[in-house]
Amino acid sequence: MRHSLFQSISDLVLIAVIGLAVLALSEWAGGWSAGGVLSEPAGHILAAGCAMVAVLIRRQFPAVALAASAVLVAVEPMTSGALAAVAHTVGLRWDRVPSRALLLAVCATVPMALTVANSAGDPAPVLGYEVMVVLVTGIVCGALPGLAGALAGQRERLVQALRGRNAVLEHAHRSAEEQARSRERAHIAGEMHDLLGHRLSLIALHSGGLAMATEKGDPEVHHSALLVHRTGRQAMDELRGVLGVLRAGEPAREDASQPLTPTTGTRAAITCLVAQSRAAGIAVGLDWSAEELTGASPSARRAVDRVIREALTNVHKYAAGAHVSVSVRGDAQHLRVEVRNGPETTGRSPRLPGTDLGLVGLHERVRLLGGTLRAEPTDNGGYAVVAHIPLSAGPAVASTSVPAGHEALTAAPTRRNRVATAAATALGVLSAMALQFVTLAFVPYPEEDEPPEPEEIVISAEGIGRACDPVGSLPRDRVTPHTMRVLL
């Protein structure tokens, strides 16, 4: 709605500018076009009105507007602004090569052909001048704006195609990220099942033994033990059912063979993980200055293991020849895990394809723990993954912001862009008219050749006699008018 309103306002402004420009140029060139059919003031107004109508209908009827403006230029070249505006719009809309060739042919040949047919009886200098004027006008104010419009239309269509492609890719990428987050949540649910299932199994086992031990004892204690035993078994069944639904259809993961154990994420486990990467040929060092994580929550320990494991996996894929440093720092409440690699120096391994969805899963896991994850290139050409992980399980962060680097690329043209485009179009039309004005101003109108008037020559009889008889052999009375006529 706003775009159509802005387009209507810009069209009205352009029509008014062209009308005023045609009137001003027609008044200025009144002497030049004194022999034309639109040489009177009323004719100037009629030409301006026809030019405005051609510009008005250029979007709905481009072919009719182009033909009308070309004919109008042949009749009155000062209406070139209308031809420029119409040719630019037609170039924007006609995207086929034959249509563009027709546009150029109409702008260059129609005004010239009509001028030759209309002024065939004029003297050669006048005919040549008029043909030159309409030919230059058709090329400068018709063909060139048409080519500019064709280029702008091609660019606009290319931008639209790129925006559509970016929209599809952005949608696909966001869908993949959502799937990665869902898989990470399902994986966390599986870890909860393994962890809580073990605890509930112990509860059910001990409560069952207590029930058997109190079977012949206090009835209330026996009843309570049986209740705890049944409740534990029921909780295990419900947990297995709920978390089983979350894990349904979950694809196999790279770390599926790494179960959650009491040593997962501890210094010993991370040291072993770093040693495995070093044995695979990665120059990696470990700096552990935090406290031992044996007493930390299982979710936090699993997050530490997952961050370091995923970062080292990416190093194996993308920068196998780079030096890597793993740093774990923190206190009893908070932990900072950083995996940083330098630029690839050896180039000995090809870069494997990837989707960065592993980092998306890490982001979701750390976010659910109440921490933050940042993964970005470094200034020296390397890459850094930095995670801040609370050691005590905290509430999940409500924000689901998209990780950095995945901004939307489908933004529509802004009002500033539309204003700039409209201003450039109006300026181009006025520039074409100004170029025509300069051309006509410095090329004088030719004048018709007229025969020279005879000069009056006065010769006396004595002078004629001397001329006829330089030696004086004839008497003066013998020099008659007949003799002068003969001598002349």
Side-chain angles (χ1 to χ4, degrees):
M1 181 66 180
R2 292 182 178 179
H3 177 66
S4 60
L5 179 61
F6 175 82
Q7 184 176 2
S8 301
I9 295 175
S10 61
D11 284 348
L12 292 177
V13 172
L14 180 62
I15 291 172
V17 169
I18 290 177
L20 294 176
V22 169
L23 283 177
L25 289 177
S26 299
E27 291 294 334
W28 169 79
W32 175 84
S33 60
V37 297
L38 300 177
S39 58
E40 299 298 329
H44 299 164
I45 297 176
L46 177 61
C50 294
M52 295 170 68
V53 171
V55 176
L56 180 63
I57 65 174
R58 73 189 190 281
R59 300 186 188 276
Q60 292 78 12
F61 309 100
V64 176
L66 180 63
S69 58
V71 172
L72 195 59
V73 165
V75 177
E76 177 54 75
M78 296 304 152
T79 59
S80 57
L83 179 61
V86 172
H88 185 269
T89 303
V90 172
L92 283 174
R93 292 176 174 269
W94 289 0
D95 56 347
R96 298 181 179 275
V97 176
S99 301
R100 294 173 180 174
L102 178 62
L103 167 64
L104 300 180
V106 169
C107 293
T109 61
V110 170
M112 184 178 62
L114 292 178
T115 301
V116 171
N118 187 40
S119 305
D122 292 345
V126 176
L127 178 61
Y129 176 79
E130 293 179 351
V131 170
M132 183 271 297
V133 168
V134 297
L135 181 60
V136 171
T137 301
I139 294 176
V140 173
C141 300
L144 293 183
L147 288 176
L151 292 177
Q154 186 71 19
R155 178 182 178 276
E156 183 178 354
R157 284 183 286 272
L158 179 60
V159 169
Q160 291 289 345
L162 290 177
R163 282 178 179 162
R165 178 177 178 272
N166 288 336
V168 173
L169 293 178
E170 185 71 18
H171 178 71
H173 189 78
R174 289 179 181 270
S175 299
E177 287 184 347
E178 289 298 328
Q179 292 177 4
R181 294 190 181 97
S182 299
R183 287 195 298 267
E184 191 67 26
R185 291 168 186 167
H187 192 63
I188 295 173
E191 295 174 359
M192 291 174 58
H193 175 271
D194 298 337
L195 181 63
L196 296 180
H198 176 67
R199 303 296 185 186
L200 291 176
S201 298
L202 292 178
I203 293 174
L205 178 62
H206 289 289
S207 61
L210 181 62
M212 292 178 61
T214 59
E215 184 177 1
K216 296 180 180 181
D218 190 348
E220 294 183 2
V221 175
H222 178 69
H223 178 73
S224 299
L226 289 176
L227 179 61
V228 171
H229 180 70
R230 287 194 300 267
T231 304
R233 293 181 63 88
Q234 184 180 1
M236 283 187 60
D237 294 338
E238 293 176 352
L239 179 64
R240 187 178 296 109
V242 172
L243 298 183
V245 171
L246 293 177
R247 299 186 68 177
E250 179 188 1
R253 301 178 59 93
E254 295 180 1
D255 59 342
S257 60
Q258 301 294 332
L260 180 61
T261 64
T263 61
T264 300
T266 61
R267 181 172 183 174
I270 299 302
T271 302
C272 181
L273 181 61
V274 170
Q276 293 175 1
S277 295
R278 191 180 297 114
I282 303 297
V284 54
L286 175 62
D287 179 17
W288 187 290
S289 58
E291 298 180 0
E292 186 57 65
L293 301 182
T294 53
S297 64
S299 299
R301 290 190 288 107
R302 171 58 91 182
V304 173
D305 179 81
R306 287 279 292 115
V307 169
I308 298 177
R309 187 180 298 274
E310 182 68 26
L312 291 179
T313 301
N314 290 337
V315 171
H316 281 274
K317 288 181 178 179
Y318 309 131
H323 179 75
V324 186
S325 62
V326 179
S327 174
V328 181
R329 296 184 176 90
D331 50 25
Q333 300 296 328
H334 194 269
L335 202 67
R336 184 178 188 271
V337 180
E338 179 178 356
V339 181
R340 184 182 298 269
N341 66 273
E344 172 71 46
T345 56
T346 61
R348 56 189 175 90
S349 60
R351 182 181 179 88
L352 300 178
T355 59
D356 291 337
L357 296 181
L359 294 177
V360 175
L362 287 182
H363 182 275
E364 181 67 13
R365 176 180 288 271
V366 175
R367 184 188 69 83
L368 292 175
L369 292 176
T372 60
L373 178 78
R374 181 169 51 89
E376 59 187 4
T378 58
D379 296 335
N380 63 348
Y383 206 83
V385 177
V386 182
H388 297 270
I389 304 173
L391 293 182
S392 59
V397 181
S399 174
T400 57
S401 59
V402 179
H406 302 297
E407 294 83 1
L409 302 176
T410 59
T414 60
R415 180 181 302 178
R416 180 180 301 177
N417 294 337
R418 292 196 293 265
V419 171
T421 302
T425 303
L427 183 61
V429 171
L430 294 179
S431 299
M433 298 181 71
L435 184 60
Q436 184 201 28
F437 174 83
V438 172
T439 302
L440 297 178
F442 287 95
V443 179
Y445 187 79
E447 298 181 358
E448 299 181 10
D449 296 334
E450 296 181 0
E453 295 182 359
E455 297 181 359
E456 183 178 357
I457 303 176
V458 179
I459 304 177
S460 63
E462 183 179 358
I464 295 175
R466 292 176 181 177
C468 297
D469 187 16
V471 296
S473 60
L474 293 176
R476 295 182 178 275
D477 56 356
R478 295 285 303 271
V479 180
T480 62
H482 176 72
T483 304
M484 290 188 292
R485 285 197 300 271
V486 171
L487 291 175
L488 291 175

